Amino acid sequence: MNYKERIVSDYQIMLGKPVIKGTRITVELILRKLSEGAVMADLLTMYPHLQEADVLAALMYASDILANEEVIMLKAA
């Protein structure tokens, strides 16, 4: 799956936070709900316009962002 087909970022929608295309549901919200113990069925019930592929795209997006994160080490003074 290519998450870029389902995740968009537009400064006019939720101040540019990544959202599920065609919604105002942020990737952050999906991750937060999952971290609080929600399961796929819970998310699909809470947000009926979400599809399973949207939730998986949010997870893939988050993992891709973390995989490409650069860590800068600062020297102690």
Side-chain angles (χ1 to χ4, degrees):
M1 171 201 319
N2 182 358
Y3 69 80
K4 294 177 183 177
E5 297 171 3
R6 294 186 172 271
I7 306 292
V8 296
S9 191
D10 179 342
Y11 75 94
Q12 294 180 329
I13 302 169
M14 301 301 289
L15 300 174
K17 287 186 175 191
V19 298
I20 303 300
K21 190 176 195 175
T23 76
R24 296 175 62 81
I25 299 172
T26 62
V27 169
E28 176 187 358
L29 175 72
I30 292 171
L31 297 175
R32 185 172 313 281
K33 294 292 184 187
L34 291 170
S35 74
E36 291 171 350
V39 296
M40 181 72 72
D42 297 332
L43 292 173
L44 299 179
T45 300
M46 287 187 277
Y47 307 101
H49 43 283
L50 268 187
Q51 298 177 11
E52 184 174 332
D54 296 327
V55 177
L56 296 176
L59 291 170
M60 187 176 289
Y61 172 83
S63 66
D64 196 40
I65 292 298
L66 288 172
N68 292 306
E69 182 179 45
E70 290 186 35
V71 177
I72 300 173
M73 301 293 286
L74 299 176
K75 290 183 180 182

